[in-house]
Amino acid sequence: MNNFLLRYGDIIKKALLIVAVFIIFYLIIFKIIPFLMPFVVALLFAVIIDPGVNFLEKKLKVPRGLASFILLLILIGVIGSLIAISITQLIYELSSLAEISTNYANTINDIILNLVDRIRMYYVTLPPNITSLIENNMQSILNYISLFAKNLATWLLNFATKLPNFFFMTLITLVATFFISKDKQLILDFIKRQIPSHWAQHAKNIQVDLLKTFFGYLRAVATIMLITFLEVSIGLAMIGFDYPFLLGLLVTIVDALPVLGSGAVMVPWALYNIIMKNYMVGIYLLILYGLVVVVRQMIEPKIVGQSIGLHPLVTLLSMFIGAKLFGALGLVIGPVFVVVFKALQKAEIIPPWK
């Protein structure tokens, strides 16, 4: 037993450290941050307005409390304007879609009536057991539609009941943002007094490494989005669509969302064209979608790895394990965990690899 511990003790120690760091990281991401979400968002807002607050305080001699209040109002105005513009644009697009839909209503109605006539013609010639099976399936579909409507009504009711809580959380976030920004130095001094002096430099190094990695990751995401935008826009232009760059921007934005991806737009789009007998357009869209997926899978590990300082294989492995453990969110959480682990090793809090 002693020989075993002497031989493998270092490996066991590092393995236990990895497990401990992973558990702490998991608790922070999925337990602590969601529980304290208003204060996490407030901290993010305070970081965003901090350069402006410092400028007003140091250059224009504005009291820090007043500077924080002014920049917070500007931030609220900017976010509110963006939301208002987005809602207005969404309403405009939906109105335009409704107008376009009315133009196709007669065509769609004719297609449906023709389909119903064909079904009725074949239905009367089918054996009784087949018709019984069809009727049962139709009943199942109707039950599913009824259940969907019921779930939708329940969701809308729950959403309405959560609105007061949302406004309360928003108020807490704004107040917390003001105090975090106003009393930044007081908070930092308090934190410094609570940790040993020799940890302060380690904490500074970890902060620098994580910020560098964070901005590197943003740069990697922007690069991938740019490549996707160029692929989709050029592909749509070659297929012959109007407004290829606007459509390419829409697909790129959806593609940046890990839960959806570009397939949420391009696959239904392709199927719609196939149903409408635009077979070649549908096939071209599917080919373009396949090209986007293949290129993304090839470049993403390399670009993300280079930007956050990881080997592409390590990045790919961390993304794969993260996706298996946490779903789509794990594609981001996996590399972040590896980066945090490396930062702790660099700060000598965790023994480095030999």
Side-chain angles (χ1 to χ4, degrees):
M1 183 66 179
N2 290 333
N3 291 333
F4 177 82
L5 291 177
L6 289 173
R7 186 171 183 180
Y8 298 105
D10 188 53
I11 297 176
I12 295 173
K13 180 181 177 181
K14 289 182 178 178
L16 292 175
L17 281 171
I18 293 175
V19 172
V21 171
F22 178 82
I23 292 174
I24 294 172
F25 184 80
Y26 174 84
L27 291 175
I28 291 174
I29 295 294
F30 291 98
K31 301 298 180 181
I32 297 176
I33 288 181
F35 184 73
L36 299 175
M37 183 56 71
F39 297 93
V40 174
V41 177
L43 178 60
L44 177 62
F45 285 170
V47 170
I48 292 174
I49 67 174
D50 190 60
V53 173
N54 291 336
F55 176 80
L56 292 178
E57 181 187 22
K58 295 177 180 178
K59 299 295 183 180
L60 303 182
K61 305 303 179 182
V62 178
R64 186 168 184 88
L66 180 58
S68 298
F69 183 74
I70 293 172
L71 267 297
L72 181 57
L73 287 180
I74 294 175
L75 180 65
I76 294 172
V78 170
I79 295 176
S81 299
L82 291 175
I83 293 174
I85 292 171
S86 300
I87 293 175
T88 303
Q89 184 64 26
L90 179 61
I91 293 173
Y92 171 77
E93 294 292 340
L94 289 175
S95 300
S96 301
L97 180 61
E99 292 178 3
I100 295 173
S101 299
T102 56
N103 296 330
Y104 290 100
N106 293 331
T107 303
I108 295 173
N109 186 54
D110 292 340
I111 293 174
I112 293 175
L113 290 176
N114 184 34
L115 182 62
V116 170
D117 289 337
R118 290 186 179 183
I119 292 174
R120 186 183 294 116
M121 182 178 63
Y122 288 117
Y123 182 79
V124 296
T125 61
L126 290 174
N129 59 333
I130 301 297
T131 56
S132 175
L133 179 63
I134 293 175
E135 290 173 358
N136 292 333
N137 287 333
M138 290 297 296
Q139 186 61 43
S140 299
I141 293 172
L142 292 175
N143 292 337
Y144 174 79
I145 294 174
S146 175
L147 180 62
F148 174 78
K150 181 180 178 181
N151 291 336
L152 179 60
T154 304
W155 181 86
L156 291 174
L157 181 61
N158 291 335
F159 177 77
T161 56
K162 289 179 180 178
L163 281 177
N165 184 63
F166 170 77
F167 289 119
F168 175 72
M169 290 297 179
T170 302
L171 179 62
I172 293 293
T173 300
L174 296 178
V175 173
T177 301
F178 172 74
F179 283 112
I180 291 173
S181 177
K182 173 180 173 291
D183 299 325
K184 182 184 85 168
Q185 197 56 49
L186 187 66
I187 296 171
L188 290 177
D189 291 340
F190 173 79
I191 294 174
K192 288 178 182 178
R193 290 196 300 270
Q194 309 311 309
I195 61 176
S197 57
H198 64 279
W199 281 25
Q201 188 58 43
H202 291 327
K204 184 69 175 177
N205 293 336
I206 292 174
Q207 177 187 358
V208 171
D209 287 342
L210 292 182
L211 285 176
K212 181 180 177 182
T213 302
F214 174 73
F215 287 111
Y217 181 77
L218 291 181
R219 185 171 62 250
V221 171
T223 302
I224 294 171
M225 289 181 67
L226 176 61
I227 293 173
T228 302
F229 170 72
L230 293 175
E231 284 181 291
V232 176
S233 300
I234 295 173
L236 293 178
M238 293 175 65
I239 294 173
F241 283 102
D242 295 328
Y243 314 111
F245 292 104
L246 183 61
L247 294 172
L249 180 62
L250 172 64
V251 174
T252 302
I253 293 173
V254 175
D255 187 58
L257 305 175
V259 177
L260 296 176
S262 59
V265 175
M266 300 192 70
V267 172
W269 193 3
L271 294 178
Y272 168 79
N273 277 279
I274 292 174
I275 292 173
M276 299 302 294
K277 299 182 179 180
N278 299 324
Y279 300 115
M280 294 309 299
V281 173
I283 292 172
Y284 287 149
L285 284 172
L286 290 176
I287 293 174
L288 179 59
Y289 169 64
L291 178 65
V292 170
V293 171
V294 171
V295 171
R296 184 184 180 94
Q297 296 300 319
M298 291 175 60
I299 65 174
E300 188 171 29
K302 185 174 181 62
I303 293 178
V304 173
Q306 288 177 344
S307 298
I308 64 180
L310 297 177
H311 190 279
L313 183 60
V314 176
T315 306
L316 185 63
L317 180 62
S318 64
M319 292 171 67
F320 175 79
I321 295 176
K324 287 293 184 180
L325 293 176
F326 308 117
L329 190 61
L331 295 172
V332 177
I333 292 178
V336 169
F337 171 75
V338 177
V339 168
V340 171
F341 190 82
K342 281 187 62 181
L344 294 176
Q345 283 187 321
K346 190 174 180 180
E348 299 180 353
I349 296 175
I350 295 177
W353 305 113
K354 294 183 179 178

